[in-house]
Amino acid sequence: MESLKTTIHFQNSTKSVTLHVPAFLFKAWPVLRVFMFIGMALFVIQVTSTTVYDGILSHQIQNRLELDKDMSQIQGTMDYLKNTSSDFLRDENRLYARFGLPTQDEATRCLGTGGNVSPDSLLLRNSSPVFERMSVLNETAARLGNMIANNEASFKNLNKYMDQKQSSWRFVPSIAPTQGRYASSFGPRVHPITGQVGKMHQGVDISNERWTPIYAPADGVVEIAQHSNSFGYFVTLNHGNGLKTRYGHLQMYTVQPGDFVSRYQVIGYMGNTGLSVGPHLHYEVWMGNSPVNPLAYMLPNDHSID
């Protein structure tokens, strides 16, 4: 085998070593340098890739933790909204029941959500807990959105109904027309002036000092405002739907026939005119052609039905 001889001399010494190196090693050196360069390059690439991968993995793990935290917050918000929606539904059902309207159950509010899930979506959801959780959040959000939309539409209908009822309640007497002591009730009695026994008293008498204000118990139109021998100065209000109220023995009235009056508006003052034994208001409520007990049209504590 062909070889090359080389001599190695030691510094500051007379000794030397002669080596015989195969010649093919010198011929293969350029190739070996290439392999060594490639190996070093691969080593650097691997170290760099590992470092970058670890950085990306750490970043992804941090993002995943933040995403889990965000989804937990969203889930908590949705749970709160769900409970709040249930409270809204209960309160709404109370309002519906209060007005004699049919109520809805919670299952009806969830209509329009759900349905078939595609195989691709199922595979994705089963392969990743994140996508599974996001899908659950999306479904919950869809149900809440449907419930809120249904609730909003329901409250709009209820508000419309209440507006309609309130517009009619304005014309229903519901407060006492004045302040004072109830001196005589509705029904048969002995007439205080004529002494007639069993005389039907078609209203209630409320006594107080002269010039005590008399108020309209509901919206209406003045039908009569005049003087008579029995009632003295008296007023009749027409509230529509067959309801009328009458006020007798006034000291004076402050309205004229045809005037529109509102609840709590002063229509006159208490007096002692006509067949009366002292200052008081004679107050009647008529439904159709029959008098009814005015106390049925007076809410306690000066409340009104609107």
Side-chain angles (χ1 to χ4, degrees), residues 55-69:
I56 294 176
L57 180 61
S58 176
H59 181 69
Q60 292 296 327
I61 292 175
Q62 183 64 30
N63 287 342
R64 173 66 182 276
L65 293 176
E66 292 178 357
L67 180 60
D68 285 340
K69 181 179 179 181

Side-chain angles (χ1 to χ4, degrees), residues 18 46 70 76 100 225 236 241 268 279:
T18 301
Q46 183 176 1
D70 292 341
T236 299
N241 296 319

